Amino acid sequence: MISRLLVANRGEIARRVFHTCRALGIETVAVFADPDADAPHVAEADLAVRLPGDRPAGTYLDAGRVVAACRASGADAVHPGYGFLSENAEFARAVLAAGLVWVGPPPEAIAAMGSKIEAKRLMAAAGVPVLPSLDLAAPDEFPLLVKASAGGGGRGMRIVRGPEELAREVDSARREAEAAFGDPAVFAEPLWERARHVEVQVLADAYGTVWTLGERDCSVQRRHQKVVEECPSPGIAAEVRERLCEAARRAAAAIGYVGAGTVEFLVRGDQVAFLEMNTRLQVEHPVTELVHGVDLVRLQLEVAEGGALPVEPLARPSGHAVEVRLYAEDEHYLPQSGVLRHFEVGGDVRVDSGVESGSVVSPYYDAMLAKVIAHGASRAEAVRKLVTALRRARLHGLTTNRDLLLRILTHPDFAAGDTHTGFLDPDGPLATSPPEPTAPPEPTGPGELAGLAAALALAADNRRRAPVLGGLPSGWRNVRSQPRRTAFTTGDGGTIDVVYDPLPAGVTAVSSAPERVVLERDGVRHAFAVARYEAGGPVYVDHAGGHAELTPLPRLPEPVEHVVPGSLLAPMPGSVLRVEVAPGERVVKGQAVLVLEAMKMEHRITAPADGVVSGLHVEQGRQVEAGAVLAIIHEGDL
């Protein structure tokens, strides 16, 4: 029996495992790198052990230090979560060699699936349909997909549409794969565009019983990383579903699998092709748990303790579940870092989160803040619950992908279940057609009143802070010469000018306080929650219909430093991985100037126009802050 479990991971998945451990009476141990010392997963554990090291992400990859943390804390078992060491066969062997219980598949099974190249060979031999591998030196078809042999999560993956791109993208994929997984090996397959990405959850014990708990649709992706997952898939015929589950059973049986795992496939029409097997718990496991009525972590622990599964799952699947991944990133999918001032997601949803209000989101790890999951009797009900929860969520301090998620969930193609891996591409449905409104437009809707609510809240805050005569209205005069107004910049870079005294015709202020404003228009009342965390900083306005981030413009602005035209600014904190040009070199629009590495992903910084490199302010290996000038491109001749 397991008595004290160490989770060799961080953030959301560590908290998820701890939740089940508390229900089972198992003590918990967290490990942490220095940036995570005050993280929620550390605070929630019964014990915590620091992993020393100069590279925060790398400390979680040090198997020796993790095993030493087990000895120091008295842990008798290890759960690897996902990512980091979860699919590292040598780590599993080290855990077992230390006399600890390993909550995962046998090292031999991990090794068999650890190389996607070898995994394809094994699966083909087991009768599982696979895509052909292409010769990287001279592929005979395009487009193709270059993939890292180790790891997953979209890292080390590149689409190549022609031979002129091949060498560059293969080199880039190799670098990213080595940075993320310590293994630069890559291979190539034909690219099935606009196919579905569908995976089957498997669970097996040591006595030969293998469960398949339905399939999950993970087709909506950006940069080959999943954004929306659901169970069951809305576009899979019963015959295809049976073939997928049978192929997943064969895959698990072929490698003597034990524990929870996922077999991933591409589906195009009635064609099915094996992608990979993830020998661990998946990020999207909650949708399976909600539909099938199971706790996959609990089952993992029971199997690791030597328990036997019933021949068939005890509960029948019920309803539909949809999960979205809430990321700290901008509209260009660039990760954001900083302080998450307020984090609140409510409603009839499950929230698996690695953060809370006040958490610091660092640039060292994946940018996911939380998973928000809804379950309903029907797909439409689950989606509606999810939309409502996201719209009413209070997310302050960092830019997130909340608006993107809402655009996806309210798009007519998504509502129809017509999704594929190109859904978020520049020429995909989301970019080329408008979303379908989820409700008829409301002439008295609160969105356009958000600026007025922000202005009234600021005025109320000024009255509260007034050192004398605080009872007088803000800005009071014996003789009013002009209306009182406040200007704001909006989240999309625009500006609005708000007149709040007198109020607009037909609008009444029922109440106005620094934290809450209630306005009535045409007989309908609208409540606004308002927050500001520093003088002069953004004002966050949340209401039933959405949210707004508004930054007050000073009446007498301070002089600002102007950026030289043509300056390329760092879009996020990161490290300069490679400089592609030299001062004085002529470049063309779209040409790579340098490559930044942030959160284990490469980000190519390109020339905005044809011109000459008139300034280069960084060198390889340098750390840069967001907004730093990296280079200057002078249009035309110098």
Side-chain angles (χ1 to χ4, degrees):
M1 295 289 288
I2 296 171
S3 60
R4 182 176 294 172
L5 178 79
L6 181 144
V7 178
N9 219 291
R10 63 179 296 280
E12 166 265 322
I13 186 57
R15 298 179 82 186
R16 164 68 189 92
V17 176
F18 293 162
H19 175 80
T20 291
C21 286
R22 284 193 294 270
L24 296 177
I26 297 173
E27 294 182 347
T28 56
V29 181
V31 290
F32 63 94
D34 288 341
D36 291 329
D38 298 320
H41 80 275
V42 177
E44 288 182 6
D46 295 309
L47 301 169
V49 180
R50 174 179 175 265
L51 298 178
D54 297 331
R55 296 178 62 249
T59 61
Y60 291 98
L61 295 171
D62 192 320
R65 288 176 177 170
V66 174
V67 172
C70 291
R71 296 193 186 98
S73 62
D76 57 2
V78 174
H79 191 299
Y82 53 70
F84 292 138
L85 294 168
S86 63
E87 294 179 284
N88 186 309
E90 290 308 311
F91 176 56
R93 291 189 178 104
V95 169
L96 293 169
L100 305 168
V101 175
W102 168 247
V103 185
E108 296 74 22
I110 298 174
M113 293 292 108
S115 164
K116 292 184 177 67
I117 298 171
E118 179 64 14
K120 286 181 64 175
R121 187 190 67 77
L122 288 172
M123 293 300 98
V128 177
V130 300
L131 288 170
S133 293
L134 302 176
D135 183 355
L136 270 176
D140 54 9
E141 67 176 281
F142 291 94
L144 58 82
L145 185 63
V146 178
K147 302 170 67 173
S149 181
R155 293 182 173 90
M157 296 181 71
R158 296 290 187 276
I159 293 174
V160 182
R161 299 198 176 277
E164 69 281 356
E165 304 174 5
L166 185 61
R168 182 188 71 203
E169 297 299 346
V170 168
D171 287 346
S172 178
R174 283 176 173 151
R175 285 192 303 271
E176 194 167 273
E178 184 165 28
F181 315 120
D183 183 353
V186 298
F187 66 104
E189 294 176 333
L191 177 65
W192 276 15
E193 297 191 275
R194 306 209 165 202
R196 287 186 181 275
H197 185 149
V198 181
E199 61 190 29
V200 177
Q201 175 70 56
V202 298
L203 189 73
D205 63 21
Y207 310 102
T209 299
V210 179
W211 287 1
T212 57
L213 294 169
E215 87 289 349
R216 299 186 286 252
D217 195 305
C218 309
S219 300
V220 181
Q221 307 174 1
R222 94 286 190 258
R223 291 184 172 179
H224 312 294
Q225 291 183 307
K226 301 162 187 173
V227 178
V228 180
E229 298 105 346
E230 55 183 308
C231 177
S233 171
I236 296 297
E239 183 270 334
V240 174
R241 178 174 290 113
E242 290 177 7
R243 286 167 52 203
L244 288 169
C245 290
E246 177 57 29
R249 284 192 192 93
R250 289 188 181 189
I255 60 172
Y257 199 78
V258 175
T262 303
V263 188
E264 304 199 4
F265 301 89
L266 280 181
V267 178
R268 185 170 63 178
D270 61 355
Q271 294 178 288
V272 172
F274 170 81
L275 275 177
E276 62 183 346
M277 183 173 185
N278 291 297
T279 52
R280 54 172 168 79
L281 201 64
Q282 285 280 80
V283 178
E284 56 273 20
H285 74 274
V287 293
T288 296
E289 292 186 323
L290 293 174
V291 168
H292 288 265
V294 297
D295 180 337
L296 287 172
V297 174
R298 178 175 186 143
L299 291 168
Q300 281 186 297
L301 296 171
E302 290 175 352
V303 167
E305 290 178 324
L309 295 172
V311 176
E312 295 289 341
L314 300 179
R316 296 182 62 83
S318 174
H320 200 101
V322 184
E323 171 183 299
V324 295
R325 301 190 189 189
L326 186 64
Y327 285 96
E329 64 183 22
D330 67 12
E331 68 273 18
H332 304 296
Y333 308 140
L334 295 177
Q336 308 292 295
S337 59
V339 179
L340 186 62
R341 299 289 194 175
H342 192 82
F343 179 81
E344 180 184 341
V345 183
D348 188 15
V349 293
R350 168 176 163 177
V351 181
D352 287 10
S353 171
V355 297
E356 57 190 14
S357 296
S359 290
V360 176
V361 177
S362 77
Y364 304 114
Y365 315 110
D366 184 85
M368 190 175 75
L369 301 175
K371 305 176 309 195
V372 186
I373 315 102
H375 178 255
S378 66
R379 183 173 185 265
E381 180 183 322
V383 170
R384 184 172 59 203
K385 289 180 179 181
L386 205 47
V387 167
T388 299
L390 288 172
R391 280 185 174 154
R392 296 181 178 180
R394 302 190 69 195
L395 309 170
H396 302 165
L398 291 175
T399 301
T400 73
N401 68 333
R402 186 234 310 256
D403 289 343
L404 171 66
L405 297 176
L406 287 169
R407 288 179 58 214
I408 295 168
L409 295 172
T410 58
H411 195 280
D413 285 8
F414 184 86
D418 185 13
T419 57
H420 50 74
T421 53
F423 193 82
L424 296 183
D425 287 354
D427 60 347
L430 199 71
T432 57
S433 61
E436 182 176 273
T438 55
E442 297 182 23
T444 58
E448 62 189 83
L449 296 177
L452 181 58
L456 290 171
L458 289 180
D461 188 51
N462 289 336
R463 290 196 299 274
R464 176 186 287 178
R465 296 173 184 271
V468 293
L469 300 177
L472 289 179
S474 176
W476 180 84
R477 298 289 187 275
N478 271 334
V479 179
R480 176 181 295 163
S481 61
Q482 58 185 344
R484 294 167 58 207
R485 60 196 332 126
T486 299
F488 298 96
T489 58
T490 59
D492 59 5
T495 60
I496 59 172
D497 189 59
V498 178
V499 175
Y500 62 95
D501 186 10
L503 292 170
V507 177
T508 302
V510 178
S511 63
S512 58
E515 298 84 15
R516 179 179 169 83
V517 174
V518 179
L519 301 175
E520 182 174 305
R521 184 171 65 178
D522 299 330
V524 179
R525 289 190 177 187
H526 304 281
F528 301 84
V530 185
R532 185 170 63 157
Y533 300 94
E534 56 189 355
V539 180
Y540 300 93
V541 184
D542 298 290
H543 51 88
H547 56 278
E549 179 182 335
L550 305 169
T551 302
L553 285 171
R555 294 181 179 179
L556 299 173
E558 296 289 333
V560 297
E561 181 180 347
H562 291 282
V563 177
V564 175
S567 296
L568 300 183
L569 307 181
M572 83 290 282
S575 174
V576 179
L577 187 65
R578 194 169 63 261
V579 178
E580 301 276 10
V581 298
E585 182 176 335
R586 178 165 290 281
V587 295
V588 298
K589 182 178 180 180
Q591 179 179 338
V593 175
L594 54 88
V595 178
L596 286 180
E597 183 182 41
M599 297 184 179
K600 297 186 181 179
M601 297 287 285
E602 290 190 10
H603 304 274
R604 191 173 293 161
I605 309 300
T606 60
D610 296 353
V612 177
V613 181
S614 63
L616 193 59
H617 297 269
V618 295
E619 62 277 342
Q620 184 173 326
R622 177 177 167 183
Q623 288 291 131
V624 296
E625 296 298 323
V629 177
L630 306 172
I632 301 172
I633 307 299
H634 177 81
E635 292 190 42
D637 297 320
L638 288 176

